[in-house]
Amino acid sequence: MAATTARKPKPNEADSANLLKYYRDMLLIRRFEEKAGQLYGMGLIGGFCHLYIGQEAVVVGMLAAAREGDSVVTSYRDHGHMLATGMDPKGVMAELTGRRGGYSKGKGGSMHMFSREKRFFGGHGIVGAQVPIGTGLAFAHRYKEDGAVSLTFLGDGAINQGQVYESFNMAALWKLPVVYVIENNKYGMGTSVERAAAGKELFARGQPYGIPGQKVDGMDVMAVRQAAEKAIAHARGGKGPYILEAQTYRYRGHSMSDPAKYRSKEEVAKMRQEHDPIDHLRQKLLEEGHADENALKTIDREVKDIVSIATEFAQTSPEPDPAELFTDILIEA
Amino acid sequence: MATEILMPALSPTMTEGKLAKWLKKEGDDVKAGDVIAEIETDKATMEVEAVDEGRLGKILVPAGTENIAVNTPIALLAEEGESLDAKPATRPKAADAPRAAASRPEAPKVEPQPKSADAPAAPEPQAPPVAPATSPLSAVRPTAAVPAPEPDAGETAPHTVREALRDAMAEEMRRDPTVFLMGEEVAEYQGAYKVSQGLLDEFGAKRVIDTPITEHGFTGLGVGAAFNGLRPIVEFMTFNFAMQAIDQIINSAAKTLYMSGGQMGCPIVFRGPNGAAARVAAQHSQCYASWYAHCPGLKVLAPWSAADAKGLLKAAIRDPNPVIFLENEILYGQSFPVPTSAEYVLPIGRAKIERPGEHVTIIAFSLQVGMALAAAETLKAEGIEAEVINLRSLRPLDTETIVQSVKKTNRLVTVEEGWPFAGIGAEIGMQMMEQCFDWLDAPVTRVTGLDVPLPYAANLEKLALPHPDTIVEAARRVCNR
């Protein structure tokens, strides 16, 4: 086939730079999460640890359409969102290992990290609780008239929480600048969407409130970016909330201790082989001439180094000082 | 160099497992993410994925082996072109593995060493009876070691509690454009109890916001707005309805500062009437004082007079932390002298001695302060001089003022409308045991609401709630009269 393909036009440099950035960002999340899984296996990370492997295109595509000042909030499957907002992998990994150098000084862990600087508002452990909070972020954007938008991520499990609809109602009523991104990875822990959600179309759950919504292939970063541009423009333009349902898939279990017996190996293998967001983009980069194998290998190595440095930091940063037990409970007035 | 693949821990409690099956054989190429083996944990059979790429050089633990300790090398991964005849250079023993050293489920063995000078030192085993801080609550003590006398706030004018609350909000909204009020019926209706009367006219619909009846949602929305730079005042029509929202109050507002290592302050006030009104039955009549006072990360205030209401609400709105502000519907219409100074604001964490006395200390908050003062008048006629303390702040609790009073009177009665079990009185009684046991001449006595859902019938309701007579009886009892 290759021999018969017509010579393609040279790709636009800006397009290439963007695509390579998305490739790198997704790969960083993938390698970071694989390493987190490994450190969990070694006992260096404790408690709950929910990996984002497979879903990388969703957050990378969404943030590709965001701009400086926009806010991001999500649930507890949050490492990918932190990395995508530009948070330092060292600080994220050190929080996973419960060390002083972690974003929350080791007091929050996997599910509770924040960065005011990067406008990442967590990291919330209660399913659905981040949805009113994200709506409140949007409320503040509108109150301050700063032109920013709240990107509020939730899973297919959270979509059945009552507070989500309370939020939809207020966001639509007050035309708040918020994009709700439902990351539909097909399973809320071990329960498939079909067994938990009445009605098939999660993106249509905002319809009674007049909130437009659409489905998007969450395994394709360019498709996500395109949908995100439309959704964010809607919210930023004063037209109120928008709902995106990204069809995605998590390769790993719900958390590290989940053997994922509720789905077949074939199902997982098929997604990985046929729909992997990183493989898909890699292929596109090569086919369309945005990069050659060598350039991609360089990115692979860079990402591997970043993760190695983060891992080293996360193991050498000391545990929190015992005095930290009693700090950060209240702000001194 | 070859990389060791270690026996992974695949659950928080796993220490060893069985290598059920190899899915790759020696010589196979593996990529990161490839499933290479299956392992049976204490809970389930799990897949092991390769983290690095390379060639599976050598399988060190054959399939079927049981009781393999976590972190034991199970295979060697060779890089391209590498031979694996030589042993790898470094090889951590399973026994040295981090998990073995981790102290996950155990309590920390370290003594807390708070930095603040006001915070207590580590407990001393031989502490004298007055020694501070044998209590785990020590870190939440008010900052002042000795309660300052009530400052003279100058001229006063009579105002109802309702007006004082409204004036406090209006003054703070004039002072800080990020302060706004939201809740059910707060704007066009002028407040379900008319507390927000006039605010919509002055500040407009942007800052005085009628919400739908959706407590869980608007509470979370308020928390998000507070995270993002605003200072919301969230009015609950009554605190009974805040139960719908308590997850957002505790898990989101109160805990996030700690979980973020101090980054995510949440300056927000949750206010509204708390406790029983009159004949509205059990679902609309609960006192939530001990529920919220239980939680680190919150401040909890309960004003009695209009001066309390104004000074404390202003302080609450200025405070950078989440504050629970428990009002009382019956007090809304009562008038008290309120300082007229625009600078008037009260410190959080200070109790007020409303009436000095030497024979017995009576501690109350909110509506019960008035009852305690009435009881003190009855007791006076019997020759008992009661010292009445208005707590004002439940968290932080002004234990210094209480302890000083008890050291003077040697007898203590606590009064609250809430249920006795794990209530505010239970907490104060315990703190007195810890801090001034040797000064007590009689057991601390509680006057509380009875341990029943509040009944509707007028006679039963009266029986279930504290009353000046029940306070008088309790005071007589601790004075052996």
Side-chain angles (χ1 to χ4, degrees), chain B residues 356-376:
Chain B
E358 54 192 309
H359 299 129
V360 58
T361 300
I362 303 175
I363 293 176
F365 57 95
S366 189
L367 182 67
Q368 279 67 41
V369 174
M371 295 182 190
L373 288 169

mmCIF file of all heavy atoms in Angstrom, chain B residues 356-376:
data_model
loop_
_atom_site.group_PDB
_atom_site.id
_atom_site.type_symbol
_atom_site.label_atom_id
_atom_site.label_comp_id
_atom_site.label_asym_id
_atom_site.label_seq_id
_atom_site.Cartn_x
_atom_site.Cartn_y
_atom_site.Cartn_z
ATOM 1 N N PRO B 356 -21.395 37.019 86.876
ATOM 2 C CA PRO B 356 -20.424 36.406 87.781
ATOM 3 C C PRO B 356 -21.112 35.805 89.001
ATOM 4 O O PRO B 356 -22.187 36.264 89.410
ATOM 5 C CB PRO B 356 -19.524 37.588 88.175
ATOM 6 C CG PRO B 356 -20.291 38.816 87.871
ATOM 7 C CD PRO B 356 -21.391 38.474 86.914
ATOM 8 N N GLY B 357 -20.524 34.780 89.567
ATOM 9 C CA GLY B 357 -21.078 34.137 90.761
ATOM 10 C C GLY B 357 -20.019 33.259 91.372
ATOM 11 O O GLY B 357 -18.986 32.990 90.747
ATOM 12 N N GLU B 358 -20.270 32.775 92.581
ATOM 13 C CA GLU B 358 -19.201 32.048 93.257
ATOM 14 C C GLU B 358 -19.561 30.624 93.652
ATOM 15 O O GLU B 358 -18.697 29.857 94.060
ATOM 16 C CB GLU B 358 -18.754 32.822 94.493
ATOM 17 C CG GLU B 358 -19.908 33.154 95.430
ATOM 18 C CD GLU B 358 -19.497 34.158 96.498
ATOM 19 O OE1 GLU B 358 -18.471 33.912 97.143
ATOM 20 O OE2 GLU B 358 -20.198 35.172 96.669
ATOM 21 N N HIS B 359 -20.833 30.249 93.553
ATOM 22 C CA HIS B 359 -21.218 28.947 94.105
ATOM 23 C C HIS B 359 -21.313 27.838 93.077
ATOM 24 O O HIS B 359 -21.101 26.680 93.406
ATOM 25 C CB HIS B 359 -22.564 29.076 94.842
ATOM 26 C CG HIS B 359 -22.508 30.034 95.991
ATOM 27 N ND1 HIS B 359 -23.427 31.062 96.166
ATOM 28 C CD2 HIS B 359 -21.625 30.155 97.007
ATOM 29 C CE1 HIS B 359 -23.118 31.754 97.251
ATOM 30 N NE2 HIS B 359 -22.021 31.223 97.771
ATOM 31 N N VAL B 360 -21.687 28.164 91.886
ATOM 32 C CA VAL B 360 -21.836 27.133 90.843
ATOM 33 C C VAL B 360 -21.668 27.802 89.467
ATOM 34 O O VAL B 360 -22.089 28.943 89.275
ATOM 35 C CB VAL B 360 -23.205 26.403 90.939
ATOM 36 C CG1 VAL B 360 -24.365 27.383 90.836
ATOM 37 C CG2 VAL B 360 -23.339 25.318 89.867
ATOM 38 N N THR B 361 -21.024 27.080 88.542
ATOM 39 C CA THR B 361 -20.888 27.581 87.174
ATOM 40 C C THR B 361 -21.954 26.911 86.302
ATOM 41 O O THR B 361 -22.113 25.687 86.360
ATOM 42 C CB THR B 361 -19.496 27.234 86.604
ATOM 43 O OG1 THR B 361 -18.503 27.842 87.430
ATOM 44 C CG2 THR B 361 -19.349 27.715 85.170
ATOM 45 N N ILE B 362 -22.656 27.735 85.563
ATOM 46 C CA ILE B 362 -23.630 27.190 84.598
ATOM 47 C C ILE B 362 -23.158 27.599 83.202
ATOM 48 O O ILE B 362 -23.001 28.789 82.915
ATOM 49 C CB ILE B 362 -25.057 27.725 84.847
ATOM 50 C CG1 ILE B 362 -25.509 27.397 86.277
ATOM 51 C CG2 ILE B 362 -26.032 27.133 83.829
ATOM 52 C CD1 ILE B 362 -26.863 28.008 86.651
ATOM 53 N N ILE B 363 -22.947 26.590 82.358
ATOM 54 C CA ILE B 363 -22.475 26.858 80.998
ATOM 55 C C ILE B 363 -23.614 26.606 80.024
ATOM 56 O O ILE B 363 -24.256 25.553 80.076
ATOM 57 C CB ILE B 363 -21.309 25.922 80.638
ATOM 58 C CG1 ILE B 363 -20.093 26.248 81.494
ATOM 59 C CG2 ILE B 363 -20.958 26.039 79.165
ATOM 60 C CD1 ILE B 363 -18.955 25.289 81.255
ATOM 61 N N ALA B 364 -23.837 27.565 79.132
ATOM 62 C CA ALA B 364 -24.892 27.391 78.132
ATOM 63 C C ALA B 364 -24.472 28.085 76.846
ATOM 64 O O ALA B 364 -23.466 28.800 76.809
ATOM 65 C CB ALA B 364 -26.207 27.970 78.641
ATOM 66 N N PHE B 365 -25.213 27.811 75.769
ATOM 67 C CA PHE B 365 -25.004 28.539 74.516
ATOM 68 C C PHE B 365 -26.342 28.717 73.833
ATOM 69 O O PHE B 365 -27.296 27.994 74.109
ATOM 70 C CB PHE B 365 -23.994 27.818 73.600
ATOM 71 C CG PHE B 365 -24.351 26.398 73.254
ATOM 72 C CD1 PHE B 365 -25.038 26.101 72.079
ATOM 73 C CD2 PHE B 365 -23.994 25.352 74.087
ATOM 74 C CE1 PHE B 365 -25.360 24.800 71.744
ATOM 75 C CE2 PHE B 365 -24.317 24.035 73.766
ATOM 76 C CZ PHE B 365 -25.000 23.762 72.596
ATOM 77 N N SER B 366 -26.424 29.730 72.970
ATOM 78 C CA SER B 366 -27.636 30.023 72.218
ATOM 79 C C SER B 366 -28.813 30.293 73.168
ATOM 80 O O SER B 366 -28.634 30.906 74.222
ATOM 81 C CB SER B 366 -27.931 28.875 71.241
ATOM 82 O OG SER B 366 -28.971 29.234 70.358
ATOM 83 N N LEU B 367 -29.985 29.830 72.814
ATOM 84 C CA LEU B 367 -31.208 30.130 73.568
ATOM 85 C C LEU B 367 -31.079 29.816 75.062
ATOM 86 O O LEU B 367 -31.665 30.501 75.906
ATOM 87 C CB LEU B 367 -32.368 29.322 72.959
ATOM 88 C CG LEU B 367 -33.749 29.517 73.579
ATOM 89 C CD1 LEU B 367 -34.259 30.941 73.316
ATOM 90 C CD2 LEU B 367 -34.736 28.501 72.984
ATOM 91 N N GLN B 368 -30.301 28.795 75.401
ATOM 92 C CA GLN B 368 -30.237 28.337 76.788
ATOM 93 C C GLN B 368 -29.486 29.323 77.703
ATOM 94 O O GLN B 368 -29.579 29.207 78.920
ATOM 95 C CB GLN B 368 -29.611 26.942 76.868
ATOM 96 C CG GLN B 368 -30.613 25.815 76.549
ATOM 97 C CD GLN B 368 -31.055 25.828 75.108
ATOM 98 O OE1 GLN B 368 -30.251 26.041 74.202
ATOM 99 N NE2 GLN B 368 -32.352 25.625 74.879
ATOM 100 N N VAL B 369 -28.758 30.271 77.095
ATOM 101 C CA VAL B 369 -28.090 31.283 77.935
ATOM 102 C C VAL B 369 -29.148 32.083 78.694
ATOM 103 O O VAL B 369 -29.020 32.332 79.899
ATOM 104 C CB VAL B 369 -27.203 32.211 77.086
ATOM 105 C CG1 VAL B 369 -26.632 33.341 77.939
ATOM 106 C CG2 VAL B 369 -26.069 31.416 76.437
ATOM 107 N N GLY B 370 -30.212 32.456 78.004
ATOM 108 C CA GLY B 370 -31.298 33.192 78.646
ATOM 109 C C GLY B 370 -31.935 32.372 79.769
ATOM 110 O O GLY B 370 -32.254 32.894 80.842
ATOM 111 N N MET B 371 -32.094 31.079 79.508
ATOM 112 C CA MET B 371 -32.675 30.209 80.544
ATOM 113 C C MET B 371 -31.750 30.113 81.749
ATOM 114 O O MET B 371 -32.196 30.099 82.903
ATOM 115 C CB MET B 371 -32.911 28.812 79.970
ATOM 116 C CG MET B 371 -33.954 28.788 78.874
ATOM 117 S SD MET B 371 -34.194 27.092 78.303
ATOM 118 C CE MET B 371 -35.184 27.413 76.863
ATOM 119 N N ALA B 372 -30.459 30.043 81.471
ATOM 120 C CA ALA B 372 -29.490 29.933 82.571
ATOM 121 C C ALA B 372 -29.513 31.206 83.417
ATOM 122 O O ALA B 372 -29.427 31.140 84.650
ATOM 123 C CB ALA B 372 -28.096 29.683 82.007
ATOM 124 N N LEU B 373 -29.650 32.349 82.752
ATOM 125 C CA LEU B 373 -29.710 33.613 83.508
ATOM 126 C C LEU B 373 -30.992 33.674 84.341
ATOM 127 O O LEU B 373 -30.971 34.146 85.484
ATOM 128 C CB LEU B 373 -29.631 34.797 82.543
ATOM 129 C CG LEU B 373 -28.241 35.022 81.920
ATOM 130 C CD1 LEU B 373 -28.319 36.035 80.781
ATOM 131 C CD2 LEU B 373 -27.233 35.476 82.976
ATOM 132 N N ALA B 374 -32.086 33.196 83.792
ATOM 133 C CA ALA B 374 -33.340 33.152 84.551
ATOM 134 C C ALA B 374 -33.191 32.227 85.754
ATOM 135 O O ALA B 374 -33.625 32.551 86.876
ATOM 136 C CB ALA B 374 -34.490 32.693 83.648
ATOM 137 N N ALA B 375 -32.542 31.090 85.500
ATOM 138 C CA ALA B 375 -32.329 30.134 86.595
ATOM 139 C C ALA B 375 -31.468 30.769 87.680
ATOM 140 O O ALA B 375 -31.717 30.583 88.886
ATOM 141 C CB ALA B 375 -31.670 28.859 86.062
ATOM 142 N N ALA B 376 -30.470 31.553 87.265
ATOM 143 C CA ALA B 376 -29.566 32.184 88.236
ATOM 144 C C ALA B 376 -30.330 33.133 89.154
ATOM 145 O O ALA B 376 -30.021 33.240 90.344
ATOM 146 C CB ALA B 376 -28.449 32.928 87.504
#
